[in-house]
Amino acid sequence: TDNFDLLNKMSRLAREELRHFEQVVAILKKREIAYDFLTASDYAGSMMKQVRKTEPGKLVDTLIVGAIIEARSCERFATLAPHLDDELAEFYIGLLKSEARHYQDYLALAKASSGEAIDDRIEIFLKLDQNLVNGESREFRFHSGVSAIV
């Protein structure tokens, strides 16, 4: 089968994510907040270590990981938004809606790419996600567990 649906959806998603980044940079500039480099959390890397090495399993697992990361973003944006000023809260709610759409797209693409049920793979990654979110992380990040450094 061809992957044109996958390619088109992922291309649109990448453009939307880049637009979000540009919006964040504009907000930082407007609020006179310096853009500082932060190291990545262990979260995504730990999730990706469980991705199968051969296709189509590699693609399916990568899409499942993407879906879980997007769903986790929704949760975090929803939790943070009520504690922000109106402008930033509105922006976070907009991000939440986008991430929810991305989450659904990733799962639909994973199902279409697999050709078989993927519930068992989703469960594996959800359990890993739960362990990572509830576990300690070397640095506190948007996608991380509790900081190991107090």
Side-chain angles (χ1 to χ4, degrees), residues 2-99:
D2 64 57
N3 280 334
F4 288 117
D5 189 43
L6 171 77
L7 296 172
N8 286 325
K9 278 194 168 60
M10 294 307 295
S11 176
R12 285 193 308 271
L13 188 143
R15 286 192 305 270
E16 189 172 2
E17 293 290 3
L18 285 172
R19 179 67 186 130
H20 292 161
F21 177 75
E22 292 166 353
Q23 291 170 314
V24 168
V25 170
I27 290 169
L28 290 172
K29 185 175 180 181
K30 178 180 176 185
R31 293 175 180 232
E32 299 180 354
I33 300 170
Y35 177 86
D36 291 328
F37 173 79
L38 296 177
T39 57
S41 72
D42 298 330
Y43 179 84
S46 296
M47 295 281 280
M48 292 302 291
K49 286 179 184 174
Q50 298 302 314
V51 168
R52 291 174 282 184
K53 304 296 182 220
T54 59
E55 299 297 352
K58 182 177 181 180
L59 174 61
V60 171
D61 287 356
T62 300
L63 291 166
I64 292 169
V65 168
I68 293 171
I69 290 171
E70 298 293 307
R72 189 59 73 187
S73 293
C74 290
E75 175 188 84
R76 302 276 165 111
F77 288 133
T79 300
L80 291 170
H83 304 285
L84 303 171
D85 63 69
D86 291 345
E87 178 186 26
L88 207 50
E90 182 179 332
F91 177 65
Y92 271 44
I93 296 299
L95 290 177
L96 185 156
K97 291 175 183 175
S98 293
E99 302 300 275

